[in-house]
Amino acid sequence: MLTDNKEYKLFESLDLFGKDTLFSYKGIMNNYVLTVFLNNINPVISSFNNPVLYKKIKKVFIELTHNILYYSEDRNKIRDEQFTGSGFVHFRNNHDHIIFTSCNKVKKKEGEKLIGYCKRIKNLDYNDLRNYKRMKRNLIQKTTSNGAGIGLIKIALISSKKIDADLIPYDKNFAYYIITVKFDKNKFFKADE
Amino acid sequence: MNDLIIPHNIKTTYQPKVHFSSKTGECLIEGESYMENPKLFYEPLTKWLNDYLETNPTSLHLIFKIYYFNTSSSRQLMNIIELLRSFQNKSVDIKIDWYYDPDDLDMKEEVEDFIMETGMDINMKIR
């Protein structure tokens, strides 16, 4: 459901209704919804006959949707005292690439930090990124959060850093945080590619 | 002490099946792990392992056949491995095997990271 003009402009920029769109979804994120997504994309990504790419796509997709589930500022009550994040995911399959976009509302200041964080991740080489992941996981072990706080690093590692983050203002306090991950369908035919 | 068994359920494919045997000390976690609240799922496993190790068994063999886990599950898996490490020098023979697909280098690196982070020996085996 398109709820306001700003969201509409955002969706329009993604060519939401273009022929490359395999599916898009806006709403609450939970594992029930995730299972429906996976069942829908499985036949498509299986048809590439590339098991390495298949695994990578699935992993990134789960991390992106869980990122919304844990961290979106749009929260919906689903059971007695349980809340889940809501947001938007878009999955495109064009000639050469698979492209995921996820979008959720964040506090503006938090969003600006996340953009800087993404830039930092992209500037690290592979081994430094692995070290950074271990260091961050070690720090978060001491907190009570459900997430591990290393999803973006993991996505960067899996996708060979084909990740971009953007922020679109919503109002004076909030913004849309958008993550795009791109996979070249002609790569990853070997595990170490 | 009772065994801990969580069977495979087609409706909850996001959580692995579990079979911890108190008779043999052989403990298996198999499947995928990307539940919404991993702490809820893994805390009983960690508690069972702790209780079992407190009985001073001669050995414990933990077998991971987890083919995918999300980053929030990784925190709980770390807790389990760290728990086992804390009992390593208490005359319990602890062995951990981790099976992974040969085409899944991301998983291989995840296990290598667990080894580096915890200092625990994990035998990496191709599925």
Side-chain angles (χ1 to χ4, degrees):
Chain A
M1 188 174 73
L2 303 178
T3 54
D4 61 38
N5 194 38
K6 282 180 184 132
E7 283 188 358
Y8 183 77
K9 279 184 182 160
L10 167 67
F11 296 161
E12 200 177 39
S13 72
L14 290 168
D15 193 18
L16 196 65
F17 305 111
K19 66 179 170 53
D20 294 339
T21 294
L22 274 180
F23 78 83
S24 56
Y25 170 85
K26 179 182 180 295
I28 61 160
M29 293 296 164
N30 58 28
N31 269 352
Y32 174 74
V33 173
L34 185 57
T35 306
V36 175
F37 294 161
L38 290 172
N39 287 341
N40 274 287
I41 64 172
N42 270 348
V44 177
I45 52 179
S46 297
S47 71
F48 303 152
N49 293 318
N50 184 339
V52 178
L53 182 63
Y54 176 92
K55 287 188 176 79
K56 284 179 180 287
I57 288 172
K58 186 174 171 182
K59 288 171 187 177
V60 164
F61 192 63
I62 292 171
E63 286 298 333
L64 283 178
T65 50
H66 277 189
N67 196 44
I68 295 171
L69 190 155
Y70 293 131
Y71 303 117
S72 176
E73 286 292 332
D74 273 333
R75 305 205 71 76
N76 294 82
K77 197 170 182 177
I78 48 167
R79 279 174 224 118
D80 299 341
E81 292 301 316
Q82 225 182 324
F83 287 80
T84 189
S86 69
F88 166 75
V89 286
H90 185 213
F91 182 74
R92 273 174 288 172
N93 176 26
N94 70 21
H95 189 256
D96 293 317
H97 294 92
I98 290 287
I99 305 160
F100 286 124
T101 305
S102 75
C103 171
N104 60 274
K105 216 179 267 179
V106 293
K107 287 185 181 128
K108 220 174 196 173
K109 281 189 176 171
E110 198 56 40
E112 284 158 8
K113 280 186 206 164
L114 287 166
I115 297 297
Y117 178 56
C118 188
K119 276 185 190 155
R120 186 179 170 189
I121 286 172
K122 286 191 73 165
N123 283 331
L124 294 174
D125 70 26
Y126 197 80
N127 286 329
D128 286 343
L129 206 48
R130 280 181 73 184
N131 288 336
Y132 189 42
K133 184 190 77 176
R134 289 195 293 268
M135 189 266 288
K136 288 257 308 176
R137 180 162 54 198
N138 199 31
L139 285 176
I140 204 109
Q141 283 295 91
K142 298 167 182 86
T143 71
T144 54
S145 149
N146 262 335
I150 53 172
L152 208 61
I153 304 174
K154 181 74 189 157
I155 292 170
L157 285 166
I158 293 171
S159 68
S160 308
K161 296 197 289 182
K162 299 290 183 205
I163 177 170
D164 282 300
D166 201 2
L167 210 59
I168 296 180
Y170 177 74
D171 60 21
K172 67 173 186 169
N173 295 319
F174 293 96
Y176 292 116
Y177 174 51
I178 300 159
I179 305 174
T180 305
V181 186
K182 208 171 180 179
F183 283 105
D184 186 335
K185 291 198 286 192
N186 302 308
K187 283 193 172 177
F188 303 115
F189 278 99
K190 289 180 188 165
D192 57 353
E193 199 172 338
Chain B
M1 186 172 174
N2 292 328
D3 292 354
L4 176 65
I5 298 172
I6 302 172
H8 172 72
N9 184 340
I10 200 155
K11 287 182 182 165
T12 53
T13 51
Y14 45 80
Q15 61 184 41
K17 74 172 183 182
V18 175
H19 193 151
F20 289 0
S21 166
S22 56
K23 193 183 274 182
T24 64
E26 190 161 290
C27 302
L28 170 74
I29 305 176
E30 181 174 16
E32 295 190 324
S33 178
Y34 55 95
M35 59 291 286
E36 291 163 31
N37 191 341
K39 202 175 170 186
L40 267 183
F41 181 82
Y42 281 101
E43 262 182 358
L45 276 63
T46 311
K47 185 181 181 310
W48 188 98
L49 288 166
N50 187 65
D51 291 349
Y52 178 73
L53 288 163
E54 292 283 2
T55 66
N56 291 318
T58 52
S59 66
L60 184 140
H61 182 195
L62 181 59
I63 303 159
F64 287 108
K65 291 186 175 178
I66 300 185
Y67 308 117
Y68 170 68
F69 59 84
N70 64 348
T71 49
S72 39
S73 294
S74 76
R75 290 179 65 184
Q76 305 305 320
L77 296 168
M78 275 273 290
N79 284 343
I80 288 179
I81 297 166
E82 280 179 343
L83 171 75
L84 267 54
R85 188 192 55 179
S86 69
F87 278 87
Q88 198 179 24
N89 298 323
K90 295 180 181 171
S91 74
V92 188
D93 179 21
I94 293 173
K95 186 181 165 195
I96 306 178
D97 291 334
W98 195 304
Y99 289 82
Y100 68 98
D101 285 333
D103 61 8
D104 194 352
L105 289 190
D106 296 319
M107 178 59 85
K108 183 171 176 271
E109 289 181 358
E110 284 287 357
V111 184
E112 286 169 357
D113 285 347
F114 280 142
I115 296 169
M116 285 182 80
E117 276 174 88
T118 62
M120 190 74 189
D121 274 343
I122 302 176
N123 305 307
M124 296 168 67
K125 298 188 169 190
I126 289 177
R127 192 179 170 192

